[in-house]
Amino acid sequence: MNHSWMETPESPDPSSTMRVGLYEEEFKKFNWSLLIIALTLIGIGIFNLISATGVQDKSLGLYKNQLLWCGLGLALTALILLPHYSVFSRLAYVIYFANLLLLVGVLVFGKSSLGAKRWIGIGAFRIQPSEFMKLSLVICLAKYFETDRTVGGYGFKDLLLPGLLVMIPAGLIMVQPDLGTALTILATFVTMMLFMRVRTRTLVIIGICCAVALPTIYKFGLKPYQRQRIISFLDPMADPKGSGYNSIQSMIAVGSGQLLGKGYKKGTQSQLKFLPEHHTDFIFSVFSEEHGFVGCAIVLALYLGLLLNGLSVAYQSHDKFGLLLALGIVTVFFWHIFVNMGMVMGLLPIVGVPLPFLSYGGSSLVTSILGIAILTNIANKKFMF
């Protein structure tokens, strides 16, 4: 009887060994930098949120909610990293119009809070479609300009369709009302337009039209409290206990941190509830007061690293869609960071723009994580076609 099967071990499958080797090689080449920066900022945000909400939230419910949203964002990240990012090009208009329907749904059966209707809720679960619209619009614009063949710069006629794609969601968001998000969308569009090259004559005429329209927009387009915020920005002390209160308390918190800060959970502005909305719009004020200039410098360095890495991804992309998609996402991050930090330091009017990864808010956090996931996908699949 032949017992050779007992004596000779089964030889490994060469194809299986080759696949394992390829996976190991890909893992070694994987660009982790953006994910590491994002996770570091999320960790700082959770750490800071515990302090900001410690007084009125003994159960740390907000902190737990933020962790749950973070888990959802990371689960979606794993899915986004699998396919090639070109899948977003094929689904761009589907994603855009689906998000547009959600914005319409907000106006029809949305949940109201603090005088605004911005959320769609199913039981205790709520999402803010305007946050997701930022990414949806970037994907849509990247798709549109990928296939566009305009030569010699964009004129008025060339900007009509992309302008309409932007103005419809911006208008729906303004009605909610959410001035900060609408302005972020418009700023992102303008930045991408400048990168795509707009004719000088067109830029001059648009600038003149905007300057002429500003007084009308100010008087009829803004709500009374929004106009008052602009007045308070110019002179917070004109109404220190009313419209100027938020800005004054925020500047006190930022300034009182000095070099090293007052220490974790020792910030008087937040712990004694002088600082309003200290877990959302003014979360950076809490961090500044407790950790001072040194802590702020570390956070700013992380944000700078995120933006520079994102620009590097755009620069190294080998196709137009990947370049525009990466540029648009970096632009969204830039305007959020710039406006929020300028707002809490009294350098810009208060418009309610969250700080990525630090401000409390599930939709904002998931949107930021998805942005990082898409950038990471582009960085690691730039040589695949």
Side-chain angles (χ1 to χ4, degrees), residues 246-247 249-252 254 281-285 288 339-348 350:
N246 293 4
S247 180
Q249 297 302 321
S250 178
M251 286 189 284
I252 291 172
V254 172
D281 296 345
F282 294 98
I283 194 71
F284 189 67
S285 304
S288 300
V339 172
N340 182 275
M341 290 192 173
M343 181 179 75
V344 302
M345 290 187 285
L347 301 176
L348 292 173
I350 296 171

Side-chain angles (χ1 to χ4, degrees), residues 143-162:
K143 171 65 176 179
Y144 177 84
F145 290 119
E146 176 197 23
T147 56
D148 186 69
R149 296 292 179 265
T150 300
V151 179
Y154 288 83
F156 279 111
K157 291 182 180 179
D158 306 313
L159 295 177
L160 285 177
L161 183 54

Side-chain angles (χ1 to χ4, degrees), residues 31 33-34 85 306-319 322-323 325-327 330 372 374-380 382:
N31 187 336
S33 54
L34 283 164
Y85 61 85
L306 185 152
L307 296 175
L308 291 178
N309 270 276
L311 289 175
S312 176
V313 170
Y315 178 75
Q316 295 179 34
S317 177
H318 284 204
D319 66 296
L323 184 153
L325 182 57
L327 179 70
V330 172
I372 293 295
I374 295 172
L375 285 174
T376 303
N377 187 310
I378 298 170
N380 289 287
K382 60 189 174 186

Side-chain angles (χ1 to χ4, degrees), residues 93 96 137 140-145 148 150 154-170 185-186 189-190 192-193 196 198:
Y93 295 121
Y96 172 83
L137 189 60
C140 182
L141 291 175
K143 171 65 176 179
Y144 177 84
F145 290 119
D148 186 69
T150 300
Y154 288 83
F156 279 111
K157 291 182 180 179
D158 306 313
L159 295 177
L160 285 177
L161 183 54
L164 187 64
L165 290 172
V166 173
M167 294 308 297
I168 291 175
I185 285 176
L186 293 174
F189 172 63
V190 170
M192 293 183 72
M193 280 288 89
M196 294 300 297
V198 179

Side-chain angles (χ1 to χ4, degrees), residues 220-381:
F220 300 105
L222 298 181
K223 294 184 177 297
Y225 76 90
Q226 292 171 334
R227 292 196 295 269
Q228 193 59 46
R229 283 181 177 179
I230 296 175
I231 295 171
S232 299
F233 159 69
L234 297 173
D235 184 11
M237 297 309 295
D239 188 12
K241 293 184 179 180
S243 58
Y245 180 82
N246 293 4
S247 180
I248 292 170
Q249 297 302 321
S250 178
M251 286 189 284
I252 291 172
V254 172
S256 63
Q258 299 186 29
L259 182 63
L260 298 175
K262 296 177 178 178
Y264 187 58
K265 293 188 177 182
K266 295 181 180 178
T268 54
Q269 292 299 108
S270 59
Q271 300 299 322
L272 298 178
K273 300 184 181 180
F274 288 109
L275 187 64
E277 303 298 330
H278 50 271
H279 61 297
T280 53
D281 296 345
F282 294 98
I283 194 71
F284 189 67
S285 304
V286 177
F287 188 85
S288 300
E289 184 180 24
E290 295 186 355
H291 304 285
F293 176 80
V294 173
C296 292
I298 292 172
V299 170
L300 285 171
L302 288 169
Y303 279 128
L304 180 61
L306 185 152
L307 296 175
L308 291 178
N309 270 276
L311 289 175
S312 176
V313 170
Y315 178 75
Q316 295 179 34
S317 177
H318 284 204
D319 66 296
K320 190 176 180 181
F321 178 75
L323 184 153
L324 291 171
L325 182 57
L327 179 70
I329 292 171
V330 172
T331 301
V332 172
F333 278 124
F334 168 78
W335 284 115
H336 271 77
I337 297 164
F338 177 79
V339 172
N340 182 275
M341 290 192 173
M343 181 179 75
V344 302
M345 290 187 285
L347 301 176
L348 292 173
I350 296 171
V351 291
V353 172
L355 187 60
F357 305 111
L358 266 70
S359 291
Y360 174 76
S363 299
S364 173
L365 180 60
V366 171
T367 301
S368 297
I369 294 174
L370 292 181
I372 293 295
I374 295 172
L375 285 174
T376 303
N377 187 310
I378 298 170
N380 289 287
K381 294 186 170 66

Side-chain angles (χ1 to χ4, degrees), residues 92 95-96 99 129 131-141:
I95 294 171
Y96 172 83
N99 212 147
E131 287 292 331
F132 298 112
M133 193 69 215
K134 300 166 190 174
L135 271 185
S136 301
L137 189 60
V138 166
I139 294 169
C140 182
L141 291 175

